[in-house]
Amino acid sequence: MEFKIASVVLLGLSLTACGKAPEQSKTTETQPQSASTASNPAMEVSKDYHSFANPEQIKVTHLDLDLDVDFSQHIISGDATIQFQRIEPNASTLILDTRDLSIERVTAMGQDIPFTLADADPHLGAALSIEVPAKVEAVTVSYHTSPQASGVQWLTPEQTAGKQQPFLFTQAQAIHARSFIPLQDSPQVRVTYQATVRTPAELLAVMSASNDPATERDGEYHFSMPQPIPSYLIALAVGDLAFKPMGERTGVYAEPSMLEAAAKEFEDTEAMLNVTEKKFGKYRWDRYDLLILPPSFPFGGMENPRLSFITPTVIAGDKSLVSLIAHELAHSWSGNTVTNATWRDLWLNEGFTTYLTYRIMEMIYGPEREQMEFVLGQQSLQADIASLPAADQMLAIDLRGRDPDDVFSDIPYEKGALFARELEQKVGRDAFDKFLMGYFEHFAFQSITTDQFIAYLNDTLLKEHAEKLDAQRIQQWIFEPGVPEGAPMAHSDAFTKVDAARDNWLAGELKAEQIDTANWNTHQWLHFLNNMPESLSQAQMTELDNAFALTQVGNNEIAHSWLLMSVNNWYEPAFSRLHDYLVHIGRNKLVKPLYQALSKTEKGKAFAKQAFTEAKPGYHPLTVKANEGYVE
């Protein structure tokens, strides 16, 4: 999922604090199993606690989908034919995950077979248990979704860029695939799939599978995904879409009015693909295309294989936010090819992908830009560590009994990347690149646990560089909170003059209009704003706004930081823009901190409630769920 250019206001926190972890006892065990279970012996590290499925007995291997998209009723209906393998030869019950699905019938070899749909769990949905006769290797589930499916968003024409046609898109991570397909919704279960999707004839359907840019728009579309993928990477979108190539293997789908701007903004995607392939091994997914979604998309990006789903909020006109594209592309190696087996292991996806993102940005745009983004990422990590309980600061997090969406913080992303960066610095870049290439090859198209990763690390990098690496420190990185003392630190010379300008302005030695910002890029603006003191006077806010027109800034990341400052200092001249921002953007990373800040005062909560009520019909269900508590 999305790479996050830091936009949280740090309110004067010292960056150097990130180099120290809270006081903690160090584990003395070096075996992966004992280390990861020491704090809670009851945990089974290979068990997916967020799925009812029973792949250890009967494992799904392939899906054939035959689906109709009904915009009038806001439902997807049809058949899912599920092929499976009996891991236990005498197993007779196939258990699938569902959420708010209406199951009409289940058949095998043309005959109805018994099934039971259990009562729903608030986090996990409902288990669908199917009695499968002996020698049967596939069943067909006829079903339809709920209009309120948690992984599906239906948009009216008015909520799209073109204003003429409706739009549908799905978002399956973490456990929302079960809201539009009955399946074993666990990342440890990888499937191939084929699909036929019928839509209104004037619309185009695309999926995280083979998409033919020259396909005829006729209302019936066929897809194939020959590589086995986890369920959270199954994705569908339907809308008034056009295509423009950006290179031999890359292109962009978008609504026609957004197509040229998107293609220009992301024109370096082919170069990113080429340098990553050269450095970290073959790209295994044929094409790499982008789909630009309406602004209600709840994330910056989603790494659906072959077709990353991307928010339009990163189209800034200057390529300043394209690290998100690098991040989703990097998932083609870390995440899509080698996948976390459970959501406890998310850091294996996001940590290494964030590390690769920094490397890609350095290769394409140079070390100065990479270092600026590293500083911002480290500042964002520091802010999360300051706000999260110790248990949620661990890479291998215990999520039992919780919604797996809770795992998405900067811990798996930035702490995971910092761990990878330390390994690189300890053994040298060439040796670490060799390790990563071997890792992606060794576990290609597999889903692995943290403990499997540690075992592989012990057998390779730790064995080859025993004099440079410390097994106990590796355990500390993964199983203890905070960041170990002595971790790599970020520094950017480009931020030094920004710090000086901010300090001189705060001291009254320089007026805002005298600050030379002519050559500042987005990252320098974010550093300037994100490190302001917690409290500024109305005169200071007005001076900044008058000098730099921050309330009208078009860059969504800079606008977010400014609007958050405006809430925290109750700078009302920005509130009209704030209302418009909340109503028209559904990317949760950008709107959630604003709702959270507004909720701290009664008048702020009243403002938030008004904006949320207006925005809610256009928000994705995940954005609604994440923010409705702030306006109650």
Side-chain angles (χ1 to χ4, degrees):
M1 203 177 288
E2 70 178 280
F3 175 65
K4 301 179 285 183
I5 288 183
S7 59
V8 60
V9 175
L10 297 179
L11 305 176
L13 290 173
S14 168
L15 175 60
T16 57
C18 192
K20 294 185 178 181
E23 288 293 319
Q24 52 203 301
S25 60
K26 292 185 172 66
T27 177
T28 58
E29 295 290 336
T30 59
Q31 295 301 314
Q33 182 76 14
S34 59
S36 58
T37 58
S39 62
N40 194 332
M43 176 181 286
E44 298 178 48
V45 296
S46 61
K47 177 178 174 60
D48 187 347
Y49 288 94
H50 296 97
S51 172
F52 293 116
N54 60 334
E56 71 284 354
Q57 298 173 323
I58 299 181
K59 189 171 188 176
V60 174
T61 58
H62 179 79
L63 298 174
D64 275 297
L65 303 173
D66 190 289
L67 303 175
D68 291 282
V69 175
D70 188 336
F71 278 95
S72 64
Q73 298 187 65
H74 287 185
I75 64 171
I76 300 171
S77 62
D79 296 335
T81 298
I82 298 162
Q83 297 180 23
F84 53 83
Q85 176 186 3
R86 295 177 197 259
I87 306 301
E88 294 184 359
N90 296 323
S92 60
T93 302
L94 168 65
I95 304 177
L96 306 177
D97 293 298
T98 75
R99 177 183 286 135
D100 298 328
L101 294 183
S102 295
I103 308 301
E104 295 152 10
R105 62 187 300 209
V106 181
T107 60
M109 302 176 69
Q111 302 294 316
D112 286 349
I113 58 174
F115 68 89
T116 303
L117 188 64
D119 293 336
D121 174 272
H123 291 319
L124 306 183
L128 175 62
S129 299
I130 301 170
E131 298 305 314
V132 289
K135 298 184 180 180
V136 165
E137 298 178 345
V139 298
T140 298
V141 181
S142 300
Y143 71 100
H144 66 265
T145 63
S146 163
Q148 290 77 43
S150 64
V152 184
Q153 184 166 22
W154 305 86
L155 298 174
T156 66
E158 293 73 27
Q159 293 167 329
T160 68
K163 312 297 183 186
Q164 300 298 314
Q165 298 291 346
F167 203 105
L168 155 74
F169 66 86
T170 66
Q171 169 57 38
Q173 195 178 33
I175 58 169
H176 301 283
R178 64 191 68 178
S179 74
F180 57 95
I181 304 170
L183 75 181
Q184 291 185 328
D185 194 12
S186 169
Q188 63 189 233
V189 179
R190 305 181 72 104
V191 299
T192 54
Y193 78 86
Q194 292 179 306
T196 296
V197 179
R198 282 173 289 276
T199 74
E202 62 272 18
L203 302 181
L204 177 67
V206 292
M207 292 193 77
S208 55
S210 56
N211 293 285
D212 181 0
T215 190
E216 182 181 355
R217 190 177 298 204
D218 60 5
E220 183 170 305
Y221 305 98
H222 304 276
F223 305 94
S224 175
M225 171 48 78
Q227 293 96 346
I229 62 171
S231 55
Y232 73 86
L233 293 177
I234 300 174
L236 167 69
V238 179
D240 181 15
L241 296 170
F243 177 82
K244 184 177 178 65
M246 296 187 296
E248 183 179 348
R249 291 182 288 176
T250 61
V252 60
Y253 290 89
E255 292 187 71
S257 64
M258 301 176 62
L259 187 61
E260 292 298 327
K264 179 63 177 175
E265 191 81 4
F266 306 134
E267 64 185 358
D268 296 333
T269 304
E270 186 87 19
M272 291 181 181
L273 175 59
N274 290 334
V275 298
T276 311
E277 186 173 52
K278 183 177 180 180
K279 186 67 66 174
F280 299 109
K282 181 181 178 181
Y283 179 74
R284 301 170 182 267
W285 303 92
D286 189 24
R287 290 191 58 82
Y288 181 73
D289 295 321
L290 307 176
L291 169 65
I292 311 305
L293 290 165
S296 61
F297 185 54
F299 303 111
M302 181 63 211
E303 64 269 20
N304 301 313
R306 299 175 180 242
L307 185 67
S308 286
F309 284 22
I310 304 295
T311 173
T313 64
V314 295
I315 302 176
D318 60 2
K319 302 182 183 179
S320 62
L321 304 178
V322 298
S323 57
L324 185 137
I325 306 301
H327 184 88
E328 305 312 331
L329 170 65
H331 268 304
S332 300
W333 285 261
S334 55
N336 296 2
T337 298
V338 183
T339 305
N340 52 244
T342 76
W343 297 111
R344 167 184 179 263
D345 311 302
L346 177 68
W347 75 275
L348 292 175
N349 278 23
E350 298 298 353
F352 284 101
T353 295
T354 302
Y355 170 82
L356 291 182
T357 303
Y358 286 126
R359 294 289 303 279
I360 294 169
M361 296 304 291
E362 180 182 356
M363 289 187 284
I364 298 296
Y365 300 107
E368 183 178 21
R369 175 158 174 181
E370 186 273 335
Q371 280 298 299
M372 285 190 283
E373 297 196 356
F374 180 24
V375 170
L376 293 173
Q378 200 163 64
Q379 290 176 348
S380 187
L381 172 62
Q382 175 197 346
D384 263 11
I385 288 174
S387 67
L388 290 170
D392 286 359
Q393 298 173 25
M394 300 178 189
L395 290 178
I397 185 175
D398 185 354
L399 285 169
R400 287 176 295 172
R402 299 171 63 183
D403 189 323
D405 288 339
D406 291 346
V407 73
F408 292 95
S409 72
D410 267 315
I411 301 302
Y413 290 77
E414 295 293 348
K415 181 179 175 180
L418 202 59
F419 169 51
R421 191 181 290 260
E422 178 170 294
L423 292 176
E424 177 214 312
Q425 292 184 1
K426 294 277 190 183
V427 304
R429 177 164 285 189
D430 289 344
F432 191 60
D433 287 354
K434 179 182 176 183
F435 164 77
L436 284 179
M437 185 178 287
Y439 168 68
F440 297 141
E441 178 67 31
H442 182 81
F443 290 112
F445 302 111
Q446 296 181 53
S447 299
I448 67 170
T449 66
T450 294
D451 303 83
Q452 287 175 281
F453 168 78
I454 293 174
Y456 181 77
L457 187 69
N458 287 341
D459 289 342
T460 55
L461 208 61
L462 199 64
K463 183 179 293 185
E464 295 162 10
H465 301 275
E467 75 287 357
K468 299 177 181 178
L469 296 175
D470 179 357
Q472 184 172 319
R473 185 169 173 87
I474 290 169
Q475 299 290 317
Q476 182 184 2
W477 268 105
I478 297 171
F479 299 115
E480 296 186 17
V483 172
E485 188 170 359
M489 290 297 297
H491 174 75
S492 170
D493 291 335
F495 286 164
T496 303
K497 61 183 179 181
V498 176
D499 291 329
R502 185 194 318 102
D503 291 344
N504 290 337
W505 176 72
L506 289 168
E509 299 170 0
L510 190 68
K511 292 182 178 180
E513 62 186 16
Q514 295 174 316
I515 300 174
D516 182 8
T517 63
N519 296 316
W520 282 14
N521 58 29
T522 294
H523 310 90
Q524 289 168 300
W525 276 110
L526 290 173
H527 184 71
F528 178 71
L529 295 174
N530 289 354
N531 291 280
M532 284 290 178
E534 183 174 359
S535 179
L536 293 177
S537 69
Q538 291 297 297
Q540 288 174 312
M541 293 292 292
T542 300
E543 184 182 354
L544 288 172
D545 203 7
N546 288 343
F548 307 124
L550 290 167
T551 295
Q552 284 78 42
V553 68
N555 184 296
N556 286 296
E557 296 276 357
I558 298 173
H560 167 83
S561 289
W562 173 248
L563 293 173
L564 191 54
M565 286 176 60
S566 298
V567 173
N568 290 331
N569 292 283
W570 205 253
Y571 178 66
E572 293 191 69
F575 277 31
S576 177
R577 172 70 190 282
L578 173 62
H579 177 87
D580 184 70
Y581 191 92
L582 290 172
V583 168
H584 292 99
I585 291 177
R587 184 180 174 189
N588 206 40
K589 174 211 166 182
L590 298 179
V591 299
K592 183 177 179 180
L594 296 171
Y595 280 119
Q596 189 174 25
L598 285 165
S599 71
K600 294 177 181 178
T601 65
E602 286 304 316
K603 59 181 179 178
K605 183 171 287 190
F607 181 96
K609 187 171 184 177
Q610 182 179 6
F612 186 82
T613 300
E614 185 176 340
K616 185 176 179 180
Y619 278 166
H620 189 278
L622 295 178
T623 303
V624 172
K625 183 180 76 170
N627 294 286
E628 58 189 354
Y630 296 125
V631 300
E632 291 176 348

